[in-house]
Amino acid sequence: MKTLTSTLALLALSACAVGPNYKTPAPLPPAQTSLIETATNTAVTSAPVESQWWHLFDDPVLDRLVIRALEHNTDVRIAAANLRRARGALSEARAAALPTTTTSGQYTRSRSVVNFGQGLTGFTQDSFKLGFDANYELDLFGGVRRSIEASRGEIEVAAAGLDAARVSIAAETALTYANACSTGAQAQVARETVALQEKTLTLTQRLLSGGRNTQRDVDQSVVLVEQARAQAASFEAERRASLYALAVLTGDPPSSFDTDAAACITPPQVRKPIAIGDGQAMLARRPDVRQAERQLAADTARIGVATASLYPSISILGGLSSTGLKPSDIGTSDSFGYSIGPLISWNFPFSGAARARVRQSKATAEGSLGSFDKAVLTALQETEQALARLKGAIDREASLSRAMKASDSAAFIAEKRFGSGADSFLQLLDAQRSRADARAALADAQAARAEAQVALFKALGGGWEGAPDPVRVPPQGDK
């Protein structure tokens, strides 16, 4: 026993974990991660990104909706459950490094028949037995350690997935709220246009009665009124659709849409330059990049798990039992028995199955490396695109704002001149049509700017810091 114990101790000390040791991929050089769009974009600054970016819109309704979505959204709850499941898997992997034990109790009543030469004689006998067995596998080649390493990586993958869900849901909630406000504003503009066109129609009908206009002029005016009404109905339908989507994002049925959001007619806007940090900080912050890197680490560890199966498995088996013919015999010195010794097993990898699993694990890790590289490039692409689109949206809004002011002035002058007989009806219609188009275009530009700002925040990958944990809904029967 002393020799066996010493040998096993030496084996344990000399044990090593097979398979490659994980190394974090080298970061891209600063020249390749610099955000080139920041050089000409006055709407952003290089200051560090602020957490909970939705507060920058300075809209209490939006703040409340985002917080509620982060607490109750179903996608966030699913991601949180996946994290808890990964933690459970780590506990299971750690348990493999501990001895396994089994306790047993047995009662047997048997009857035997014996022939002593004078006929058959039956004997009835009771037997009682208590047993305790232990099995401890020596992790000589690191299969268990690699499995624990992989499980830790999976936990970090799930944690990054939860952060990614939070970023996505916060952005989707803000975007849906902005759409509800924008379509509400566009519907209001369309209704104001209807009112203006109705005044023109009334004037045209009055002039027709006085002999100054024709029925064609009246019909053309009716066309403009009905077109404006059609636009108002379309925008109103989109507004209600956004409200229903917003309710579901916050974990409520569509019928329970938020009344404050329903009353919004001003798209939320960030009025100051947005802090975006730098490219390296963005890559470190993006949950999808962290998720891809941690998945690569977990898959690299699983190569070691597969490689360890190529080597023998050595376990220490031990058992203790107490047997007696009656319950009082259990526990006496004469009733005890024991067994102890090593067990060496080998799956004979020469069949090729174990080596095939190693090749599969290596291929999986290679694919994860490709996924990580793709995540890095995608993050840079999305951020550059968001910056470019934000600059374009701001410039477009400024131009259309000037165009609307000019069209309002032109329409006002045309109405006065038409009323005095200086301009024709076609000139009036053209001025009013231009004004309606300019107002609709400006409302659309304001919606596009809000969408571009939210898209930039999403591309930057922050905002979940300090966010509330999702509300856990226990499964049926869970107490």
Side-chain angles (χ1 to χ4, degrees):
M1 287 298 298
K2 291 182 179 180
T3 303
L4 174 62
T5 303
S6 301
T7 302
L8 293 176
L10 290 174
L11 287 173
L13 289 174
S14 62
C16 61
V18 296
N21 293 320
Y22 176 71
K23 294 182 180 179
T24 305
L28 294 176
Q32 295 184 15
T33 58
S34 60
L35 303 175
I36 59 177
E37 281 291 331
T38 59
T40 58
N41 198 333
T42 59
V44 298
T45 68
S46 58
V49 175
E50 299 183 41
S51 62
Q52 300 189 22
W53 50 262
W54 49 88
H55 294 310
L56 297 176
F57 287 97
D58 196 21
D59 189 326
V61 177
L62 176 59
D63 294 343
R64 175 171 53 79
L65 290 171
V66 171
I67 293 299
R68 179 167 178 80
L70 292 175
E71 289 179 341
H72 298 280
N73 181 266
T74 53
D75 287 342
V76 176
R77 285 164 46 198
I78 291 170
N82 290 337
L83 177 57
R84 292 193 295 272
R85 181 178 62 183
R87 288 171 177 163
L90 175 59
S91 298
E92 181 181 2
R94 283 174 172 168
L98 302 175
T100 59
T101 59
T102 304
T103 58
S104 62
Q106 182 180 2
Y107 164 70
T108 304
R109 184 174 179 84
S110 61
R111 185 176 187 276
S112 302
V113 179
V114 181
N115 188 350
F116 291 105
Q118 298 178 354
L120 298 178
T121 302
F123 294 91
T124 301
Q125 179 177 305
D126 292 333
S127 175
F128 299 87
K129 181 178 181 180
L130 292 180
F132 176 82
D133 297 310
N135 181 2
Y136 177 60
E137 181 178 352
L138 300 177
D139 191 25
L140 298 180
F141 303 101
V144 174
R145 278 169 286 166
R146 292 300 192 193
S147 178
I148 293 174
E149 182 182 344
S151 295
R152 285 176 179 154
E154 293 291 353
I155 284 182
E156 292 164 338
V157 169
L162 176 58
D163 291 340
R166 285 169 168 162
V167 170
S168 178
I169 292 304
E172 191 67 23
T173 302
L175 181 59
T176 305
Y177 173 72
N179 285 339
C181 297
S182 300
T183 50
Q186 290 171 315
Q188 184 182 50
V189 169
R191 287 191 292 268
E192 291 173 355
T193 302
V194 169
L196 292 173
Q197 298 293 359
E198 286 177 340
K199 289 182 181 180
T200 301
L201 175 60
T202 300
L203 175 60
T204 306
Q205 290 172 333
R206 188 165 60 247
L207 292 175
L208 175 63
S209 300
R212 284 185 53 189
N213 272 352
T214 65
Q215 183 61 41
R216 185 187 65 178
D217 297 332
V218 174
D219 291 340
Q220 288 177 325
S221 185
V222 170
V223 169
L224 292 180
V225 171
E226 296 304 326
Q227 286 178 340
R229 285 175 177 167
Q231 282 190 330
S234 177
F235 288 135
E236 178 61 25
E238 289 300 319
R239 182 187 72 87
R240 295 184 66 82
S242 295
L243 292 174
Y244 296 146
L246 191 60
V248 174
L249 283 169
T250 55
D252 295 318
S255 58
S256 301
F257 61 82
D258 192 272
T259 55
D260 291 333
C264 178
I265 56 172
T266 303
Q269 301 284 349
V270 178
R271 303 297 179 184
K272 63 180 183 179
I274 298 173
I276 64 171
D278 56 36
Q280 291 283 7
M282 180 273 296
L283 291 175
R285 185 174 53 248
R286 286 262 305 208
D288 56 337
V289 175
R290 290 189 291 111
Q291 190 175 25
E293 188 272 329
R294 289 290 82 202
Q295 187 64 60
L296 173 60
D299 290 339
T300 301
R302 296 202 185 281
I303 298 176
V305 176
T307 304
S309 65
L310 298 175
Y311 297 91
S313 172
I314 301 178
S315 301
I316 304 299
L317 305 180
L320 182 66
S321 64
S322 179
T323 306
L325 299 179
K326 53 184 182 296
S328 59
D329 293 336
I330 301 298
T332 61
S333 59
D334 293 335
S335 69
F336 279 106
Y338 71 88
S339 64
I340 187 171
L343 171 65
I344 301 178
S345 60
W346 200 356
N347 291 326
F348 291 103
F350 309 108
S351 64
R355 296 189 184 278
R357 285 191 292 270
V358 173
R359 292 195 298 270
Q360 293 173 28
S361 299
K362 289 181 178 179
T364 300
E366 290 173 1
S368 296
L369 177 59
S371 297
F372 171 73
D373 292 338
K374 179 181 178 181
V376 170
L377 295 177
T378 299
L380 292 170
Q381 171 193 328
E382 290 179 351
T383 304
E384 293 285 17
Q385 288 177 330
L387 288 168
R389 287 166 179 158
L390 176 59
K391 185 178 185 302
I394 292 174
D395 294 344
R396 176 176 176 239
E397 181 184 7
S399 296
L400 291 177
S401 179
R402 293 189 293 268
M404 190 196 72
K405 291 178 181 178
S407 66
D408 279 343
S409 176
F412 176 79
I413 294 173
E415 289 167 359
K416 294 297 183 182
R417 290 176 61 84
F418 176 73
S420 63
D423 280 354
S424 68
F425 182 69
L426 290 178
Q427 290 174 310
L428 173 63
L429 288 182
D430 184 64
Q432 291 182 333
R433 187 182 293 109
S434 297
R435 177 179 60 188
D437 291 343
R439 287 189 172 187
L442 179 59
D444 182 70
Q446 291 172 339
R449 179 181 180 180
E451 180 179 348
Q453 288 175 333
V454 173
L456 176 59
F457 288 126
K458 183 179 180 181
L460 294 174
W464 77 87
E465 305 90 348
D469 291 331
V471 175
R472 181 175 181 265
V473 180
Q476 202 169 27
D478 188 8
K479 296 183 180 180

